[in-house]
Amino acid sequence: MEISTLATYHCLAFVWYFFVAYSITHIKTEERPSEVFLYGGQWKYLTVLNLVLQAVFYGVSFLADVLRLIKKLRCAKCIISSRDLLFSVLAFPVSTFVCISFWTLYTYNRELVYPKSLDGVIPLWLNHAMHTAVLPFALLEIFALPHRYPAKKKGLILLGFVAFLYISWVLWIYSVTGEWVYPLFALFSPAGLAAFFAGSLAIIISFYNFGEFLNRMIWGQSKFS
């Protein structure tokens, strides 16, 4: 894509994610089911955190495009490095994980991840904006321009660290409230929950590898923006 086209696309994507994140974080207090929005509010859900992540990523991408358009190449180089690291390590694998894991569990038993009580609070379009559209956006980004992936060890360490932080947040909320972020977790013994977290980490790592594979197959090793 031309830089001007990329700038337009990234700007629109940023506005979209900002709007979706704003919409979910400004649900009226009196409309929130008490069993869902307890300690931590919306910020305990990976879906909502992913919306913020995507907004940050597309904001950084738009800034990189603007700097390239105005020929501030030295500044652009640093921002592009941050953009590529955000996309490769977090934006693509987390979006893919959110979409696939949510709809897999929703199909099996929606009460485990998205209780029916939310249907009267969160409109259908917003549900799909949070859980469905994130994957096409991530795939479109791969096809739109090449991204430089970090060394495999560095990328996996960063991804694992972020996963550790989120799991720690989930466990902290349980220790404070006695309630799990997702009802699914209540089905597991401690050992089973540890295995579930380990399996989820393995899946998200596979999505990281898949993103790297797609990037390499489409753009090769030498073409970087």
mmCIF file of all heavy atoms in Angstrom, residues 36-70:
data_model
loop_
_atom_site.group_PDB
_atom_site.id
_atom_site.type_symbol
_atom_site.label_atom_id
_atom_site.label_comp_id
_atom_site.label_asym_id
_atom_site.label_seq_id
_atom_site.Cartn_x
_atom_site.Cartn_y
_atom_site.Cartn_z
ATOM 1 N N VAL A 36 -21.260 -10.040 36.834
ATOM 2 C CA VAL A 36 -20.251 -9.929 35.790
ATOM 3 C C VAL A 36 -19.248 -8.818 36.086
ATOM 4 O O VAL A 36 -18.043 -8.996 36.020
ATOM 5 C CB VAL A 36 -20.921 -9.686 34.420
ATOM 6 C CG1 VAL A 36 -19.864 -9.439 33.342
ATOM 7 C CG2 VAL A 36 -21.794 -10.881 34.052
ATOM 8 N N PHE A 37 -19.748 -7.635 36.445
ATOM 9 C CA PHE A 37 -18.876 -6.486 36.658
ATOM 10 C C PHE A 37 -18.621 -6.272 38.147
ATOM 11 O O PHE A 37 -19.129 -5.326 38.751
ATOM 12 C CB PHE A 37 -19.491 -5.241 36.023
ATOM 13 C CG PHE A 37 -19.615 -5.352 34.526
ATOM 14 C CD1 PHE A 37 -20.832 -5.631 33.938
ATOM 15 C CD2 PHE A 37 -18.505 -5.187 33.717
ATOM 16 C CE1 PHE A 37 -20.949 -5.738 32.556
ATOM 17 C CE2 PHE A 37 -18.607 -5.291 32.334
ATOM 18 C CZ PHE A 37 -19.832 -5.565 31.760
ATOM 19 N N LEU A 38 -17.842 -7.159 38.722
ATOM 20 C CA LEU A 38 -17.456 -7.022 40.119
ATOM 21 C C LEU A 38 -16.090 -6.344 40.171
ATOM 22 O O LEU A 38 -15.792 -5.477 39.373
ATOM 23 C CB LEU A 38 -17.431 -8.396 40.783
ATOM 24 C CG LEU A 38 -18.801 -9.081 40.946
ATOM 25 C CD1 LEU A 38 -18.614 -10.515 41.398
ATOM 26 C CD2 LEU A 38 -19.678 -8.333 41.927
ATOM 27 N N TYR A 39 -15.269 -6.735 41.125
ATOM 28 C CA TYR A 39 -13.935 -6.167 41.296
ATOM 29 C C TYR A 39 -13.154 -6.194 39.975
ATOM 30 O O TYR A 39 -13.091 -7.202 39.305
ATOM 31 C CB TYR A 39 -13.193 -6.992 42.351
ATOM 32 C CG TYR A 39 -11.833 -6.475 42.722
ATOM 33 C CD1 TYR A 39 -11.678 -5.526 43.726
ATOM 34 C CD2 TYR A 39 -10.695 -6.947 42.088
ATOM 35 C CE1 TYR A 39 -10.424 -5.063 44.079
ATOM 36 C CE2 TYR A 39 -9.442 -6.494 42.429
ATOM 37 C CZ TYR A 39 -9.310 -5.552 43.422
ATOM 38 O OH TYR A 39 -8.070 -5.093 43.771
ATOM 39 N N GLY A 40 -12.568 -5.071 39.634
ATOM 40 C CA GLY A 40 -11.785 -4.991 38.404
ATOM 41 C C GLY A 40 -12.565 -4.480 37.220
ATOM 42 O O GLY A 40 -11.972 -4.129 36.195
ATOM 43 N N GLY A 41 -13.889 -4.434 37.337
ATOM 44 C CA GLY A 41 -14.705 -3.926 36.237
ATOM 45 C C GLY A 41 -14.428 -4.651 34.932
ATOM 46 O O GLY A 41 -14.119 -5.834 34.901
ATOM 47 N N GLN A 42 -14.520 -3.899 33.849
ATOM 48 C CA GLN A 42 -14.237 -4.494 32.536
ATOM 49 C C GLN A 42 -12.768 -4.822 32.341
ATOM 50 O O GLN A 42 -12.410 -5.605 31.450
ATOM 51 C CB GLN A 42 -14.675 -3.529 31.418
ATOM 52 C CG GLN A 42 -16.171 -3.320 31.322
ATOM 53 C CD GLN A 42 -16.606 -2.053 32.037
ATOM 54 O OE1 GLN A 42 -16.000 -1.653 33.030
ATOM 55 N NE2 GLN A 42 -17.652 -1.407 31.538
ATOM 56 N N TRP A 43 -11.913 -4.233 33.179
ATOM 57 C CA TRP A 43 -10.471 -4.373 32.978
ATOM 58 C C TRP A 43 -9.935 -5.731 33.380
ATOM 59 O O TRP A 43 -8.731 -5.981 33.277
ATOM 60 C CB TRP A 43 -9.747 -3.263 33.732
ATOM 61 C CG TRP A 43 -10.244 -1.919 33.330
ATOM 62 C CD1 TRP A 43 -10.971 -1.047 34.095
ATOM 63 C CD2 TRP A 43 -10.112 -1.290 32.054
ATOM 64 N NE1 TRP A 43 -11.292 0.078 33.382
ATOM 65 C CE2 TRP A 43 -10.778 -0.044 32.122
ATOM 66 C CE3 TRP A 43 -9.499 -1.664 30.855
ATOM 67 C CZ2 TRP A 43 -10.829 0.832 31.039
ATOM 68 C CZ3 TRP A 43 -9.570 -0.790 29.778
ATOM 69 C CH2 TRP A 43 -10.222 0.427 29.879
ATOM 70 N N LYS A 44 -10.796 -6.626 33.829
ATOM 71 C CA LYS A 44 -10.348 -7.980 34.130
ATOM 72 C C LYS A 44 -10.510 -8.906 32.926
ATOM 73 O O LYS A 44 -10.025 -10.040 32.943
ATOM 74 C CB LYS A 44 -11.120 -8.549 35.317
ATOM 75 C CG LYS A 44 -12.621 -8.651 35.101
ATOM 76 C CD LYS A 44 -13.312 -9.080 36.388
ATOM 77 C CE LYS A 44 -14.828 -9.093 36.211
ATOM 78 N NZ LYS A 44 -15.510 -9.453 37.459
ATOM 79 N N TYR A 45 -11.192 -8.429 31.883
ATOM 80 C CA TYR A 45 -11.462 -9.273 30.719
ATOM 81 C C TYR A 45 -10.410 -9.065 29.635
ATOM 82 O O TYR A 45 -10.118 -7.935 29.237
ATOM 83 C CB TYR A 45 -12.850 -8.974 30.154
ATOM 84 C CG TYR A 45 -13.957 -9.300 31.122
ATOM 85 C CD1 TYR A 45 -14.693 -8.298 31.735
ATOM 86 C CD2 TYR A 45 -14.238 -10.624 31.448
ATOM 87 C CE1 TYR A 45 -15.696 -8.587 32.639
ATOM 88 C CE2 TYR A 45 -15.234 -10.934 32.356
ATOM 89 C CZ TYR A 45 -15.963 -9.914 32.943
ATOM 90 O OH TYR A 45 -16.950 -10.211 33.857
ATOM 91 N N LEU A 46 -9.879 -10.164 29.141
ATOM 92 C CA LEU A 46 -8.861 -10.092 28.095
ATOM 93 C C LEU A 46 -9.405 -9.399 26.853
ATOM 94 O O LEU A 46 -8.681 -8.675 26.166
ATOM 95 C CB LEU A 46 -8.383 -11.509 27.737
ATOM 96 C CG LEU A 46 -7.246 -11.606 26.717
ATOM 97 C CD1 LEU A 46 -5.999 -10.884 27.228
ATOM 98 C CD2 LEU A 46 -6.929 -13.068 26.405
ATOM 99 N N THR A 47 -10.683 -9.599 26.570
ATOM 100 C CA THR A 47 -11.315 -8.969 25.410
ATOM 101 C C THR A 47 -11.193 -7.444 25.469
ATOM 102 O O THR A 47 -10.837 -6.802 24.476
ATOM 103 C CB THR A 47 -12.803 -9.353 25.337
ATOM 104 O OG1 THR A 47 -12.904 -10.752 25.106
ATOM 105 C CG2 THR A 47 -13.496 -8.611 24.218
ATOM 106 N N VAL A 48 -11.488 -6.869 26.621
ATOM 107 C CA VAL A 48 -11.444 -5.409 26.766
ATOM 108 C C VAL A 48 -10.004 -4.912 26.730
ATOM 109 O O VAL A 48 -9.700 -3.894 26.094
ATOM 110 C CB VAL A 48 -12.145 -4.972 28.060
ATOM 111 C CG1 VAL A 48 -12.056 -3.457 28.246
ATOM 112 C CG2 VAL A 48 -13.610 -5.416 28.055
ATOM 113 N N LEU A 49 -9.114 -5.616 27.389
ATOM 114 C CA LEU A 49 -7.701 -5.239 27.353
ATOM 115 C C LEU A 49 -7.170 -5.305 25.926
ATOM 116 O O LEU A 49 -6.338 -4.478 25.526
ATOM 117 C CB LEU A 49 -6.895 -6.163 28.271
ATOM 118 C CG LEU A 49 -7.217 -6.063 29.766
ATOM 119 C CD1 LEU A 49 -6.438 -7.106 30.550
ATOM 120 C CD2 LEU A 49 -6.913 -4.668 30.297
ATOM 121 N N ASN A 50 -7.656 -6.276 25.156
ATOM 122 C CA ASN A 50 -7.234 -6.383 23.762
ATOM 123 C C ASN A 50 -7.704 -5.176 22.941
ATOM 124 O O ASN A 50 -6.980 -4.713 22.060
ATOM 125 C CB ASN A 50 -7.781 -7.677 23.150
ATOM 126 C CG ASN A 50 -7.362 -7.840 21.699
ATOM 127 O OD1 ASN A 50 -6.181 -7.808 21.361
ATOM 128 N ND2 ASN A 50 -8.335 -7.994 20.809
ATOM 129 N N LEU A 51 -8.900 -4.676 23.225
ATOM 130 C CA LEU A 51 -9.372 -3.489 22.509
ATOM 131 C C LEU A 51 -8.441 -2.302 22.736
ATOM 132 O O LEU A 51 -8.120 -1.559 21.799
ATOM 133 C CB LEU A 51 -10.789 -3.131 22.964
ATOM 134 C CG LEU A 51 -11.902 -4.127 22.639
ATOM 135 C CD1 LEU A 51 -13.211 -3.671 23.268
ATOM 136 C CD2 LEU A 51 -12.056 -4.306 21.135
ATOM 137 N N VAL A 52 -8.007 -2.127 23.981
ATOM 138 C CA VAL A 52 -7.078 -1.042 24.294
ATOM 139 C C VAL A 52 -5.744 -1.275 23.590
ATOM 140 O O VAL A 52 -5.145 -0.351 23.021
ATOM 141 C CB VAL A 52 -6.878 -0.933 25.819
ATOM 142 C CG1 VAL A 52 -5.835 0.137 26.143
ATOM 143 C CG2 VAL A 52 -8.195 -0.614 26.516
ATOM 144 N N LEU A 53 -5.280 -2.523 23.608
ATOM 145 C CA LEU A 53 -4.038 -2.886 22.926
ATOM 146 C C LEU A 53 -4.112 -2.544 21.439
ATOM 147 O O LEU A 53 -3.170 -1.961 20.876
ATOM 148 C CB LEU A 53 -3.767 -4.384 23.107
ATOM 149 C CG LEU A 53 -2.671 -5.001 22.226
ATOM 150 C CD1 LEU A 53 -1.313 -4.404 22.551
ATOM 151 C CD2 LEU A 53 -2.653 -6.519 22.396
ATOM 152 N N GLN A 54 -5.217 -2.901 20.794
ATOM 153 C CA GLN A 54 -5.360 -2.630 19.363
ATOM 154 C C GLN A 54 -5.413 -1.132 19.088
ATOM 155 O O GLN A 54 -4.836 -0.652 18.104
ATOM 156 C CB GLN A 54 -6.626 -3.314 18.822
ATOM 157 C CG GLN A 54 -6.661 -4.818 18.985
ATOM 158 C CD GLN A 54 -5.464 -5.520 18.370
ATOM 159 O OE1 GLN A 54 -5.018 -5.188 17.271
ATOM 160 N NE2 GLN A 54 -4.920 -6.494 19.087
ATOM 161 N N ALA A 55 -6.100 -0.381 19.939
ATOM 162 C CA ALA A 55 -6.157 1.074 19.768
ATOM 163 C C ALA A 55 -4.751 1.674 19.868
ATOM 164 O O ALA A 55 -4.374 2.541 19.063
ATOM 165 C CB ALA A 55 -7.083 1.696 20.807
ATOM 166 N N VAL A 56 -3.968 1.202 20.833
ATOM 167 C CA VAL A 56 -2.589 1.689 20.980
ATOM 168 C C VAL A 56 -1.766 1.322 19.749
ATOM 169 O O VAL A 56 -1.034 2.156 19.193
ATOM 170 C CB VAL A 56 -1.945 1.106 22.254
ATOM 171 C CG1 VAL A 56 -0.443 1.409 22.279
ATOM 172 C CG2 VAL A 56 -2.618 1.664 23.495
ATOM 173 N N PHE A 57 -1.903 0.067 19.301
ATOM 174 C CA PHE A 57 -1.131 -0.375 18.130
ATOM 175 C C PHE A 57 -1.446 0.464 16.896
ATOM 176 O O PHE A 57 -0.539 0.936 16.198
ATOM 177 C CB PHE A 57 -1.402 -1.853 17.832
ATOM 178 C CG PHE A 57 -0.939 -2.262 16.469
ATOM 179 C CD1 PHE A 57 0.412 -2.344 16.176
ATOM 180 C CD2 PHE A 57 -1.855 -2.506 15.453
ATOM 181 C CE1 PHE A 57 0.850 -2.667 14.899
ATOM 182 C CE2 PHE A 57 -1.433 -2.833 14.180
ATOM 183 C CZ PHE A 57 -0.076 -2.920 13.898
ATOM 184 N N TYR A 58 -2.731 0.660 16.609
ATOM 185 C CA TYR A 58 -3.089 1.428 15.408
ATOM 186 C C TYR A 58 -2.754 2.904 15.564
ATOM 187 O O TYR A 58 -2.449 3.582 14.565
ATOM 188 C CB TYR A 58 -4.561 1.216 15.066
ATOM 189 C CG TYR A 58 -4.789 -0.115 14.393
ATOM 190 C CD1 TYR A 58 -5.377 -1.175 15.081
ATOM 191 C CD2 TYR A 58 -4.376 -0.337 13.086
ATOM 192 C CE1 TYR A 58 -5.558 -2.408 14.476
ATOM 193 C CE2 TYR A 58 -4.549 -1.567 12.472
ATOM 194 C CZ TYR A 58 -5.144 -2.601 13.169
ATOM 195 O OH TYR A 58 -5.303 -3.826 12.564
ATOM 196 N N GLY A 59 -2.779 3.405 16.792
ATOM 197 C CA GLY A 59 -2.330 4.771 17.021
ATOM 198 C C GLY A 59 -0.849 4.921 16.718
ATOM 199 O O GLY A 59 -0.432 5.891 16.064
ATOM 200 N N VAL A 60 -0.043 3.970 17.175
ATOM 201 C CA VAL A 60 1.396 3.983 16.896
ATOM 202 C C VAL A 60 1.645 3.827 15.397
ATOM 203 O O VAL A 60 2.514 4.499 14.810
ATOM 204 C CB VAL A 60 2.104 2.866 17.692
ATOM 205 C CG1 VAL A 60 3.561 2.698 17.236
ATOM 206 C CG2 VAL A 60 2.060 3.160 19.189
ATOM 207 N N SER A 61 0.870 2.951 14.748
ATOM 208 C CA SER A 61 1.022 2.744 13.303
ATOM 209 C C SER A 61 0.709 4.018 12.530
ATOM 210 O O SER A 61 1.418 4.373 11.573
ATOM 211 C CB SER A 61 0.094 1.609 12.841
ATOM 212 O OG SER A 61 0.427 0.386 13.454
ATOM 213 N N PHE A 62 -0.356 4.708 12.933
ATOM 214 C CA PHE A 62 -0.720 5.960 12.261
ATOM 215 C C PHE A 62 0.370 7.009 12.448
ATOM 216 O O PHE A 62 0.729 7.725 11.495
ATOM 217 C CB PHE A 62 -2.049 6.468 12.818
ATOM 218 C CG PHE A 62 -2.480 7.795 12.270
ATOM 219 C CD1 PHE A 62 -2.690 7.970 10.909
ATOM 220 C CD2 PHE A 62 -2.658 8.889 13.113
ATOM 221 C CE1 PHE A 62 -3.085 9.204 10.391
ATOM 222 C CE2 PHE A 62 -3.047 10.114 12.606
ATOM 223 C CZ PHE A 62 -3.258 10.278 11.244
ATOM 224 N N LEU A 63 0.929 7.080 13.653
ATOM 225 C CA LEU A 63 2.016 8.029 13.911
ATOM 226 C C LEU A 63 3.217 7.717 13.021
ATOM 227 O O LEU A 63 3.839 8.638 12.458
ATOM 228 C CB LEU A 63 2.420 7.969 15.387
ATOM 229 C CG LEU A 63 3.610 8.842 15.807
ATOM 230 C CD1 LEU A 63 3.331 10.314 15.504
ATOM 231 C CD2 LEU A 63 3.909 8.645 17.297
ATOM 232 N N ALA A 64 3.539 6.432 12.872
ATOM 233 C CA ALA A 64 4.658 6.040 12.002
ATOM 234 C C ALA A 64 4.396 6.461 10.559
ATOM 235 O O ALA A 64 5.299 6.959 9.868
ATOM 236 C CB ALA A 64 4.882 4.535 12.085
ATOM 237 N N ASP A 65 3.169 6.279 10.092
ATOM 238 C CA ASP A 65 2.817 6.671 8.719
ATOM 239 C C ASP A 65 2.957 8.177 8.522
ATOM 240 O O ASP A 65 3.487 8.633 7.498
ATOM 241 C CB ASP A 65 1.383 6.242 8.401
ATOM 242 C CG ASP A 65 1.190 4.741 8.450
ATOM 243 O OD1 ASP A 65 2.174 4.006 8.246
ATOM 244 O OD2 ASP A 65 0.049 4.299 8.707
ATOM 245 N N VAL A 66 2.475 8.938 9.499
ATOM 246 C CA VAL A 66 2.548 10.405 9.399
ATOM 247 C C VAL A 66 3.998 10.863 9.358
ATOM 248 O O VAL A 66 4.369 11.734 8.553
ATOM 249 C CB VAL A 66 1.801 11.064 10.571
ATOM 250 C CG1 VAL A 66 2.085 12.569 10.614
ATOM 251 C CG2 VAL A 66 0.302 10.815 10.468
ATOM 252 N N LEU A 67 4.837 10.274 10.203
ATOM 253 C CA LEU A 67 6.255 10.658 10.227
ATOM 254 C C LEU A 67 6.937 10.332 8.903
ATOM 255 O O LEU A 67 7.804 11.083 8.439
ATOM 256 C CB LEU A 67 6.964 9.937 11.382
ATOM 257 C CG LEU A 67 6.600 10.425 12.787
ATOM 258 C CD1 LEU A 67 7.231 9.533 13.847
ATOM 259 C CD2 LEU A 67 7.031 11.875 12.995
ATOM 260 N N ARG A 68 6.536 9.238 8.295
ATOM 261 C CA ARG A 68 7.105 8.901 6.979
ATOM 262 C C ARG A 68 6.615 9.872 5.908
ATOM 263 O O ARG A 68 7.374 10.259 5.021
ATOM 264 C CB ARG A 68 6.730 7.471 6.601
ATOM 265 C CG ARG A 68 7.408 6.411 7.482
ATOM 266 C CD ARG A 68 6.880 5.034 7.168
ATOM 267 N NE ARG A 68 7.275 4.598 5.839
ATOM 268 C CZ ARG A 68 6.717 3.565 5.211
ATOM 269 N NH1 ARG A 68 5.727 2.899 5.777
ATOM 270 N NH2 ARG A 68 7.136 3.207 4.015
ATOM 271 N N LEU A 69 5.368 10.283 6.000
ATOM 272 C CA LEU A 69 4.808 11.214 5.018
ATOM 273 C C LEU A 69 5.496 12.575 5.072
ATOM 274 O O LEU A 69 5.692 13.225 4.041
ATOM 275 C CB LEU A 69 3.301 11.376 5.239
ATOM 276 C CG LEU A 69 2.405 10.251 4.726
ATOM 277 C CD1 LEU A 69 0.973 10.455 5.215
ATOM 278 C CD2 LEU A 69 2.435 10.193 3.199
ATOM 279 N N ILE A 70 5.860 13.006 6.284
ATOM 280 C CA ILE A 70 6.498 14.323 6.420
ATOM 281 C C ILE A 70 8.031 14.212 6.436
ATOM 282 O O ILE A 70 8.726 15.160 6.784
ATOM 283 C CB ILE A 70 6.001 15.056 7.686
ATOM 284 C CG1 ILE A 70 6.374 14.272 8.957
ATOM 285 C CG2 ILE A 70 4.499 15.276 7.619
ATOM 286 C CD1 ILE A 70 5.986 14.999 10.239
#
